[in-house]
């Protein structure tokens, strides 16, 4: 079991498979990209599967989410999914992706054992997509979403970040589109995880702003706290249901008290929180032939020291030195 001093138990593992990405979203990284991790620093496929095996069989992990960077850029992704699906007990598996490449991989991922996907799409306008991502790939994402739904990687969830002056007027249109295509839309407040440290609290589109905008066109009924559990998204029924929309308000409505996540970076570091300043090295233990029991002990110790909250409401908050693409959001 991965328990901390506040009684929270981690059952959800986020695994970053690569720090690389084929988009350059303005809220994540600069246009020229980043200095990527060297290949020897990355965990191998065997190392990733071994750590997930330890997490599932010895530490109580029940859900595994593959992230990046962009996880579809990992050459061995389908094989990793297939091997994790063979573990006992079998964890639930999902993937967070920008959708580029899903059209050609969705069927194979489903066959390998992947349960569902989260796809990032911030706008319905191709020109705005190009401005936000610095790439002309909007149709590729739409095609990827369709392929995921056709392959049965459901529910297909769509993650959207609204940026002032770019797409902050699109919330109602995005929700109408998601309802039409039977995707579950979730808006995410922009978080201070950009490599260029350009995030400003007073310029972000808040959960309150998003809900006010949505209510100009839809009737929203809040789900109860019991329905939410440890999920990061607060959810609302749209026009009485059955469709739902979620808002992940990491900045203005922190949910740290219910957090059940632990994170593994692409280079084998354990992070107890997206906003943590500290990491615990499991790669070194793996490569020094430490037994599974020792790796599990290191992991438990790291989680025991997890802080009460991310500290975003603290005026002295310091942004993590590693951007989202390297952490595995």
């Amino acid at each position: 079991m991965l328990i901390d001093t506040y009684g929270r138990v981690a059952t959800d593992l986020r695994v970053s498979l690569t720090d690389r990405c084929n988009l350059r979203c303005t809220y994540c990284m600069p246009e020229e990209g980043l200095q990527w991790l060297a290949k020897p620093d990355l965990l191998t496929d065997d190392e990733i599967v071994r750590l997930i095996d330890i997490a599932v069989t010895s530490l109580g992990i029940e859900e595994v989410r593959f992230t990046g960077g962009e996880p579809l850029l990992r050459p061995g992704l389908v094989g990793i999914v297939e091997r994790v699906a063979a573990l006992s007990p079998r964890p639930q598996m999902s993937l967070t992706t920008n959708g580029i490449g899903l059209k050609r991989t969705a069927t194979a991922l489903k066959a390998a054992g992947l349960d569902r996907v989260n796809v990032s799409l911030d706008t319905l306008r191709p020109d705005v997509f190009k401005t936000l991502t610095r790439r002309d790939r909007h149709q590729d994402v739409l095609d990827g979403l369709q392929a995921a739904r056709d392959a049965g990687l459901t529910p297909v969830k769509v993650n959207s970040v609204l940026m002032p002056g770019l797409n902050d007027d699109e919330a109602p249109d995005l929700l109408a589109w998601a309802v039409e295509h039977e995707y579950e839309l979730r808006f995410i407040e922009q978080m201070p995880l950009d490599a260029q440290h350009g995030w400003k609290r007073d310029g972000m589109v808040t959960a309150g702003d998003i809900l006010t905008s949505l209510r100009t066109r839809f009737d929203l009924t809040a789900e109860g706290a019991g329905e939410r559990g440890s999920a990061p998204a607060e959810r609302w029924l749209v026009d009485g249901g059955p469709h739902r929309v979620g808002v992940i308000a990491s900045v203005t409505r922190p949910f740290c008290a219910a957090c059940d996540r632990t994170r593994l970076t692409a280079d084998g570091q354990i992070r107890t929180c997206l906003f943590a300043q500290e990491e615990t090295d499991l790669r070194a233990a793996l490569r020094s032939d430490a037994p599974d029991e020792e790796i599990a002990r290191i992991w438990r110790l790291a989680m025991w020291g997890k802080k009460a909250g991310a500290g975003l409401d603290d005026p002295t908050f310091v942004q993590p030195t590693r951007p989202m693409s390297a952490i595995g959001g």
Side-chain angles (χ1 to χ4, degrees):
M1 180 182 294
L2 291 172
I3 189 170
D4 64 33
T5 55
Y6 299 93
R8 295 169 297 192
V9 178
T11 57
D12 184 332
L13 170 61
R14 307 296 170 100
V15 180
S16 174
L17 298 179
T18 178
D19 60 331
R20 296 173 184 264
C21 189
N22 42 13
L23 296 180
R24 297 291 182 269
C25 297
T26 56
Y27 52 78
C28 186
M29 69 174 72
E31 186 170 5
E32 64 273 15
L34 301 169
Q35 183 174 348
W36 310 121
L37 292 166
K39 188 173 182 179
D41 293 335
L42 294 171
L43 293 177
T44 66
D45 293 1
D46 287 346
E47 288 171 336
I48 289 170
V49 173
R50 182 184 172 195
L51 287 175
I52 295 174
D53 188 3
I54 293 169
V56 169
T57 59
S58 301
L59 298 174
I61 291 298
E62 300 171 357
E63 299 179 40
V64 175
R65 171 84 61 86
F66 297 108
T67 70
E70 173 44 53
L72 293 182
L73 295 179
R74 177 88 186 199
L77 172 61
V78 172
I80 291 171
V81 170
E82 189 171 37
R83 292 169 66 184
V84 173
L87 296 178
S88 181
R90 180 199 185 280
Q92 287 290 304
M93 285 186 292
S94 58
L95 176 84
T96 295
T97 172
N98 61 29
I100 297 173
L102 257 185
K103 182 178 180 180
R104 68 175 183 273
T105 57
T107 300
L109 286 168
K110 179 64 177 180
L114 192 70
D115 295 300
R116 63 171 190 83
V117 293
N118 286 33
V119 180
S120 298
L121 181 65
D122 302 323
T123 177
L124 299 176
R125 304 168 186 163
D127 58 326
V128 176
F129 181 91
K130 188 174 181 180
T131 299
L132 277 168
T133 67
R134 305 182 179 106
R135 297 291 187 271
D136 190 10
R137 306 296 297 272
H138 189 257
Q139 188 59 48
D140 292 327
V141 180
L142 296 180
D143 291 345
L145 279 161
Q146 179 70 46
R149 191 179 68 182
D150 291 347
L153 292 169
T154 55
V156 176
K157 296 184 180 181
V158 176
N159 296 338
S160 296
V161 176
L162 299 182
M163 302 288 288
L166 286 173
N167 62 339
D168 53 342
D169 61 336
E170 284 197 68
D173 290 341
L174 281 163
L175 181 52
W177 166 82
V179 167
E180 177 186 354
H181 291 84
E182 298 185 345
Y183 304 138
E184 184 174 323
L185 181 63
R186 307 192 312 171
F187 292 99
I188 304 176
E189 287 183 337
Q190 183 195 2
M191 294 180 284
L193 290 169
D194 57 309
Q196 58 271 40
H197 289 201
W199 178 85
K200 290 182 174 57
R201 184 185 302 271
D202 57 3
M204 61 176 287
V205 180
T206 68
D209 297 331
I210 294 165
L211 292 170
T212 296
S213 179
L214 291 176
R215 286 183 170 122
T216 63
R217 196 183 305 180
F218 301 95
D219 178 50
L220 302 181
T221 305
E223 285 189 335
E227 293 285 340
R228 181 181 183 184
S230 60
E234 294 180 80
R235 298 198 306 179
W236 285 262
L237 292 173
V238 179
D239 292 337
H243 298 289
R244 292 171 171 81
V245 63
V247 178
I248 299 177
S250 303
V251 178
T252 62
R253 304 180 187 179
F255 41 86
C256 301
C259 181
D260 66 348
R261 284 167 287 288
T262 182
R263 300 176 184 276
L264 178 66
T265 67
D267 56 348
Q269 309 301 305
I270 287 299
R271 294 182 67 90
T272 60
C273 174
L274 264 177
F275 305 100
Q277 297 293 339
E278 307 84 17
E279 297 178 336
T280 300
D281 188 6
L282 292 186
R283 185 187 62 196
L286 279 172
R287 295 181 180 178
S288 62
D289 296 324
D292 289 359
E293 294 78 9
E294 174 61 13
I295 293 170
R297 185 194 68 80
I298 295 170
W299 204 330
R300 288 192 192 97
L301 187 61
M303 293 304 295
W304 182 252
K306 183 173 181 174
K307 295 181 179 178
L312 290 175
D313 54 351
D314 187 337
T316 64
F317 170 78
V318 178
Q319 185 169 333
T321 55
R322 290 234 259 178
M324 189 187 305
S325 61
I327 295 171

